[in-house]
C-alpha cells in the first residue's frame, strides 16, 4: 500500500471516529469537552497538512509525510480515548 493510500485510509478512520465522538459529545463532562476542543485544533492542522501532501504527493518530503502520519495516529488515539470515555 502506498503512503498516499495509507494516509487516505487513516484520514477516513479519523473522520469516522470524529463523527462518532461528535454524536456522543453532548453527553460528555466538561473535561472531555476540553479534550475535544484541543483535538479539533489538531484536526484542523492535520487536514491542512494532508491537503498539502495529497496535493503535492510527489514533492512532499519524507519528513512531511512522517509528520502527517504521526499527527494522524495521535489524533486517532485521541478520538478513540474520547469515544471510550463516553461509553
Amino acid at each position: 500500500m502506498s503512503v498516499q493510500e495509507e494516509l487516505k485510509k487513516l484520514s477516513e478512520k479519523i473522520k469516522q471516529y470524529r463523527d462518532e465522538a461528535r454524536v456522543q459529545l453532548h453527553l460528555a463532562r466538561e473535561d472531555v469537552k476540553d479534550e475535544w476542543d484541543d483535538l479539533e485544533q489538531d484536526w484542523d492542522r492535520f487536514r491542512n497538512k494532508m491537503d498539502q501532501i495529497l496535493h503535492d504527493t510527489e514533492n512532499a518530503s519524507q519528513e512531511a509525510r512522517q509528520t502527517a502520519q504521526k499527527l494522524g495516529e495521535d489524533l486517532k488515539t485521541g478520538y478513540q480515548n474520547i469515544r471510550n470515555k463516553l461509553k
Side-chain angles (χ1 to χ4, degrees):
M1 184 180 300
S2 74
V3 172
Q4 186 175 7
E5 289 170 339
E6 288 179 20
L7 288 173
K8 283 183 181 181
K9 184 177 177 181
L10 176 61
S11 180
E12 289 168 8
K13 185 55 83 173
I14 293 168
K15 183 181 182 312
Q16 176 189 347
Y17 289 163
R18 180 177 178 261
D19 291 345
E20 290 172 4
R22 183 184 298 168
V23 168
Q24 297 176 351
L25 188 60
H26 71 280
L27 303 173
R29 298 183 318 249
E30 191 61 35
D31 59 324
V32 174
K33 180 160 180 352
D34 291 342
E35 188 175 342
W36 172 267
D37 291 341
D38 292 343
L39 280 171
E40 285 296 279
Q41 291 175 2
D42 291 342
W43 169 253
D44 290 338
R45 284 192 296 273
F46 175 76
R47 291 302 309 158
N48 287 333
K49 181 67 102 177
M50 283 292 298
D51 290 344
Q52 290 172 357
I53 289 172
L54 293 176
H55 183 265
D56 299 323
T57 301
E58 292 183 20
N59 297 329
S61 70
Q62 179 69 18
E63 182 179 342
R65 290 191 298 266
Q66 289 174 342
T67 299
Q69 183 79 29
K70 171 76 170 103
L71 180 55
E73 291 295 335
D74 291 346
L75 279 167
K76 183 173 118 178
T77 299
Y79 284 119
Q80 283 175 323
N81 288 340
I82 287 178
R83 283 178 45 204
N84 292 339
K85 289 178 182 180
L86 296 174
K87 289 184 178 180

